[in-house]
Amino acid sequence: MYSVKLTEKEIPKKWYNIAADLPVEFPPYDQTEEGKQLENLPKIFSKGVLEQELSTERYIDIPKEVRDVYIQMGRPSPLVRAKALEAHLDTPAKIFYKREDTSPTGSHKLNTAIAQAYYAKQDGIERLTTETGAGQWGTALSLACKLMDIDCTVYMVRVSFDQKPYRKTIMELYDGEILPSPSNKTEFGKKILKENPNHPGTLGVAISEAIEDALSDEKVNYSLGSVLNHVMLHQTVIGQETQKQLEIFDESPDVMIGCVGGGSNFAGSAFPFIKDQLDEKIDCKFIAVEPSHCPTLTKGDYCYDFGDTAGLTPLIKMYSMGHDFIPPSDHAGGLRYHGMSPLVALLVHEGIVVARSVEQNDIFSSGVTFARTEGIVPAPETCHAIKVGIDEALECKKTGEEKNIVINFSGHGLLDLTGYGDYLEGKLD
């Protein structure tokens, strides 16, 4: 058996909320003495999203309208055994990958974009603003907004805006408005450009611009593609489907791997299994993989920090490189974030999740290996998980262990070919 596909009737009917099962108390959001960050949350988030952000209920119903759009957009997604990759590595390990790249936008991001656009529409919101790094999230929200008949404005990190012009094109095809960040549309963007006209942009800056835009109009909300609890919640359809699919394979995971920038695809695939781990139903190692040039989990401080550069978000307890940190301009734009999901950060701090960092050339090498064996071109972000998956499989080759390695294949790289071209031509640092 090479792959398992579930039926439409098997799509999850509830999201899983790990906040109900944390081993320690979740650190509450805070604000500065002079700030109004907590007061601003109801102004920038829909009622449904804000309730989910603060909820400790274990399972939250997925509205039928959202499930219908999930199905329309291709859920459930396949779980595939990478037999060709296994043979190439000559490993006794079994490697499985969950294909989130099969969505129309090419990544897992649509799972939360549909939900957030739905709740905004329920509140009478007419436009959503957001940030995007590599463009996967901006693409997903542009499509979700179009499906829900509301407008969408995307602040795209400037270095990715320049590196990936076709991302801008596809967002415009979905009727999104795309602005390079820092931009001249917001006061904060103008301030950044005045200080540094060649600023490459960061996700922190783009978030600040999108929030400022949303605060300027009561008919506009802000939508976030990662980091916060409600985003992790919406992504758990990935892990719940994977649980059913591994049962059909008659297998249990020994290692689960996902790339992390803000943490959403890792959380979505791993959180339902972490519940099984906490319930002592499985014995699994969970590995979150980040770029070495933005080593939030492996070298950052576990502290309270802002989620954006301007300090418009509440203070969040997370691993952080500092909210004014500017990562080097690499090709994995979706992972260039100074902070981390507070839920993922807590699980790393408690030793339930292991963090690793990997180098840019190594991840592209792994992406080429995957493409030449399995036939699918992974996004640079996804290559981080594949790199560590290959490392784990090669370790099994040394020890002779027959482990089951599960990788969340978070997105395809068909709009990231500039990076692959640079790698093949030896131009990458």
Side-chain angles (χ1 to χ4, degrees):
M1 187 185 304
Y2 279 91
S3 68
V4 168
K5 298 178 181 179
L6 302 176
T7 67
E8 293 178 0
K9 292 182 180 179
E10 294 175 286
I11 195 168
K13 295 184 179 179
K14 296 177 184 290
W15 291 301
Y16 167 61
N17 184 10
I18 202 170
D21 297 307
L22 294 173
V24 296
E25 184 178 354
F26 180 78
Y29 297 150
D30 202 353
Q31 65 180 31
T32 59
E33 292 183 4
E34 68 275 9
K36 297 182 179 180
Q37 295 90 349
L38 292 175
E39 296 173 28
N40 283 337
L41 291 183
K43 301 176 184 178
I44 62 175
F45 288 127
S46 64
K47 180 182 177 182
V49 160
L50 194 54
E51 287 176 353
Q52 292 172 358
E53 180 64 27
L54 304 175
S55 175
T56 56
E57 186 177 350
R58 182 171 287 112
Y59 291 101
I60 296 175
D61 289 337
I62 304 176
K64 182 180 182 300
E65 296 89 341
V66 172
R67 283 189 287 117
D68 287 345
V69 181
Y70 278 174
I71 292 168
Q72 179 189 349
M73 294 293 107
R75 297 216 73 86
S77 65
L79 181 69
V80 181
R81 183 171 167 193
K83 289 191 175 183
L85 179 59
E86 293 170 12
H88 173 77
L89 300 174
D90 190 25
T91 177
K94 295 177 182 177
I95 304 172
F96 301 88
Y97 57 101
K98 178 66 166 167
R99 290 202 57 186
E100 290 302 295
D101 64 299
T102 59
S103 83
T105 59
S107 83
H108 69 290
K109 294 291 189 178
L110 203 52
N111 299 325
T112 187
I114 292 167
Q116 293 189 54
Y118 167 79
Y119 288 116
K121 183 71 173 180
Q122 293 293 105
D123 283 1
I125 294 300
E126 297 176 357
R127 180 167 65 94
L128 284 177
T129 69
T130 196
E131 76 295 327
T132 195
Q136 296 276 21
W137 166 241
T139 301
L141 191 66
S142 295
L143 175 57
C145 285
K146 193 62 183 176
L147 294 171
M148 297 295 174
D149 194 28
I150 54 180
D151 294 331
C152 181
T153 300
V154 180
Y155 292 87
M156 186 173 185
V157 175
R158 181 175 292 276
V159 64
S160 292
F161 183 91
D162 294 336
Q163 284 177 345
K164 304 179 182 188
Y166 293 122
R167 277 286 170 205
K168 174 177 178 289
T169 300
I170 196 168
M171 285 185 267
E172 289 176 338
L173 282 172
Y174 292 143
D175 206 21
E177 177 191 15
I178 321 302
L179 299 169
S181 174
S183 75
N184 283 307
K185 183 171 181 177
T186 68
E187 293 306 312
F188 186 66
K190 292 174 185 176
K191 176 178 178 292
I192 293 290
L193 289 174
K194 184 177 180 180
E195 295 171 355
N196 180 4
N198 298 313
H199 196 291
T202 68
L203 280 167
V205 171
I207 292 170
S208 296
E209 291 205 88
I211 292 176
E212 180 186 323
D213 189 350
L215 287 170
S216 68
D217 189 333
E218 64 180 14
K219 288 294 185 179
V220 179
N221 269 3
Y222 167 66
S223 183
L224 186 67
S226 193
V227 182
L228 293 183
N229 296 0
H230 65 273
V231 185
M232 309 298 115
L233 174 81
H234 299 154
Q235 294 294 353
T236 59
V237 293
I238 302 171
Q240 291 180 80
E241 289 178 7
T242 306
Q243 286 175 318
K244 294 180 182 178
Q245 290 163 319
L246 283 175
E247 288 176 7
I248 295 171
F249 270 116
D250 195 24
E251 302 287 359
S252 179
D254 296 302
V255 184
M256 295 199 71
I257 307 167
C259 64
V260 287
S264 67
N265 90 87
F266 171 81
S269 57
F271 279 7
F273 288 92
I274 290 177
K275 182 183 188 305
D276 289 344
Q277 180 98 333
L278 295 173
D279 292 341
E280 300 183 347
K281 294 180 180 178
I282 62 172
D283 183 12
C284 184
K285 178 166 66 173
F286 301 94
I287 307 176
V289 191
E290 63 186 6
S292 60
H293 63 274
C294 191
T296 306
L297 290 173
T298 51
K299 293 187 178 180
D301 294 323
Y302 189 52
C303 61
Y304 272 98
D305 195 9
F306 293 108
D308 71 308
T309 304
L312 298 177
T313 71
L315 290 165
I316 302 168
K317 186 73 174 288
M318 59 181 176
Y319 283 96
S320 176
M321 299 297 291
H323 63 277
D324 55 356
F325 176 67
I326 303 175
S329 302
D330 81 323
H331 286 281
L335 306 185
R336 294 176 70 251
Y337 182 59
H338 70 272
M340 182 56 58
S341 156
L343 288 170
V344 173
L346 184 150
L347 293 169
V348 170
H349 190 256
E350 292 300 311
I352 295 169
V353 172
V354 177
R356 290 191 194 171
S357 65
V358 291
E359 300 284 347
Q360 179 170 239
N361 269 294
D362 291 339
I363 67 103
F364 274 104
S365 175
S366 298
V368 170
T369 297
F370 195 92
R372 290 176 178 175
T373 53
E374 294 297 311
I376 307 166
V377 179
E381 293 80 6
T382 307
C383 290
H384 290 68
I386 292 170
K387 158 66 176 158
V388 171
I390 289 174
D391 289 347
E392 290 289 310
L394 291 176
E395 184 63 25
C396 288
K397 182 178 180 178
K398 291 180 183 178
T399 63
E401 294 176 283
E402 298 179 359
K403 290 184 178 181
N404 292 326
I405 300 168
V406 182
I407 299 168
N408 191 34
F409 194 96
S410 54
H412 70 63
L414 296 180
L415 293 177
D416 299 286
L417 298 182
T418 300
Y420 277 100
D422 288 346
Y423 171 75
L424 293 173
E425 295 172 17
K427 295 179 180 179
L428 286 186
D429 294 331

